[in-house]
Amino acid sequence: MSSFKEKIDKTNLPKHIAVIMDGNGRWAQERGFDRIFGHQNGVTSVRETTETAAEIGIQYLTLYAFSTENWSRPQEEVDALMELLIDTIEKETPTLDKNNVRLMAIGDLSRLPGNASEKLQRCIAKTSQNTGLSLVLALSYSSRWEITNALKMICTEVMAGNYSTDEINEELISNHMTTKSIPDPDLLIRTSGEERISNFLLWQLAYTELYFTKIHWPAFRKENLYEAIYEFQQRERRFGK
Ligand code: FPP
């Protein structure tokens, strides 16, 4: 059986792929382990997905790593997840840098504990001149938080007389999102069989193709990414026209 890798059209790749990495907890529990084991194994899938995206020439890969809602999980899981995220980012930064990957982050980074935000900013700065794949981590991110935040900034600027309400348009709103320099996703992948957006990039997903797979995130491999891209390429995108 030929692989999806050979079937995808390299001249028609999505420019930006966003991923809701779901199912870590279930994957671990089905195997008799605790949830954090699932998150630890999810790192392998992050590595494979990032490597593949960089290899084939995807320009932006956004991963939903920690949502605003995730702060309400048991403290033990929050702490373990935060430690895993920041440790992995630090450990992988030299490899990302070597592969010309630029690391970025979106979300309410002020909520990250201790010196996590500082560590993250160091890794971002280290790779900021890279010109290959942009790997965007959504950390302490939720779309309603982002939209609320954008509204506050716009209202403040209108009250300061920088522009009038008539000048508020889609471009201005986009420029107040945390994704301001990033094109909207072409393809959204969600793993583990849930078919929801869960407060992720609500503004930016307006015309994005949605792809759902039953595979849990820790089991997601290169071939699964190729399959999602292949499926994306079979669709006709009309952008409402
Ligand atoms: C969702 O599974 C996954 C998360 C909330 C965290 C994702 C984090 C990683 C894969 C760790 C490493 C990431 C990076 C970027 C270094 P879930 O816990 O909601 O699973 P469930 O739905 O089965 O409970």
Side-chain angles (χ1 to χ4, degrees):
M1 204 183 76
S2 79
S3 96
F4 285 102
K5 182 181 182 178
E6 283 125 44
K7 289 206 267 189
I8 61 173
D9 174 2
K10 295 276 172 47
T11 66
N12 179 30
L13 292 168
K15 192 171 176 182
H16 181 177
I17 300 178
V19 188
I20 302 179
M21 310 181 286
D22 197 11
N24 290 353
R26 276 166 286 166
W27 181 90
Q29 280 162 347
E30 281 165 15
R31 283 159 183 78
F33 294 102
D34 58 26
R35 301 173 50 81
I36 191 67
F37 184 71
H39 300 315
Q40 285 161 347
N41 279 273
V43 175
T44 307
S45 310
V46 169
R47 209 178 281 122
E48 288 228 354
T49 304
T50 307
E51 242 176 60
T52 309
E55 224 170 74
I56 61 178
I58 303 293
Q59 294 179 35
Y60 292 87
L61 174 67
T62 299
L63 303 178
Y64 204 1
F66 196 92
S67 70
T68 310
E69 291 77 16
N70 287 156
W71 289 117
S72 352
R73 291 195 177 188
Q75 194 58 40
E76 196 188 7
E77 187 179 345
V78 170
D79 291 346
L81 197 45
M82 267 298 141
E83 195 179 315
L84 178 68
L85 281 165
I86 300 301
D87 276 6
T88 307
I89 294 166
E90 276 199 307
K91 235 180 267 156
E92 299 287 339
T93 295
T95 313
L96 294 177
D97 198 30
K98 211 166 64 203
N99 287 288
N100 199 22
V101 176
R102 173 173 66 150
L103 184 68
M104 301 170 82
I106 57 170
D108 187 1
L109 305 180
S110 68
R111 286 189 71 180
L112 298 185
N115 57 357
S117 169
E118 213 176 288
K119 286 184 181 174
L120 177 67
Q121 292 305 338
R122 262 206 302 276
C123 297
I124 290 174
K126 177 109 180 48
T127 63
S128 65
Q129 301 304 313
N130 291 343
T131 54
L133 172 74
S134 294
L135 173 63
V136 186
L137 299 181
L139 287 168
S140 188
Y141 175 88
S142 87
S143 200
R144 288 185 174 180
W145 163 80
E146 179 183 47
I147 293 170
T148 307
N149 201 45
L151 265 174
K152 283 184 192 166
M153 287 192 278
I154 293 170
C155 287
T156 307
E157 287 162 18
V158 168
M159 285 192 304
N162 296 351
Y163 43 82
S164 71
T165 49
D166 284 345
E167 289 173 275
I168 299 175
N169 55 24
E170 290 187 13
E171 192 191 351
L172 184 116
I173 296 172
S174 293
N175 285 336
H176 285 79
M177 297 289 172
T178 58
T179 51
K180 64 172 168 288
S181 57
I182 302 170
D184 289 342
D186 303 291
L187 170 63
L188 171 82
I189 299 172
R190 181 171 188 152
T191 59
S192 94
E194 308 298 337
E195 302 192 351
R196 288 189 292 278
I197 302 298
S198 298
N199 213 350
F200 190 45
L201 303 173
L202 298 177
W203 172 266
Q204 298 86 342
L205 292 176
Y207 294 106
T208 303
E209 293 295 330
L210 309 180
Y211 176 84
F212 301 105
T213 169
K214 289 205 158 47
I215 295 167
H216 290 321
W217 179 250
F220 193 87
R221 289 292 170 268
K222 294 188 172 194
E223 185 62 7
N224 303 118
L225 180 63
Y226 290 130
E227 182 172 3
I229 295 172
Y230 176 76
E231 164 72 28
F232 165 83
Q233 291 179 336
Q234 307 314 304
R235 299 189 192 174
E236 187 195 346
R237 300 184 76 198
R238 289 199 298 267
F239 299 92
K241 288 174 199 143

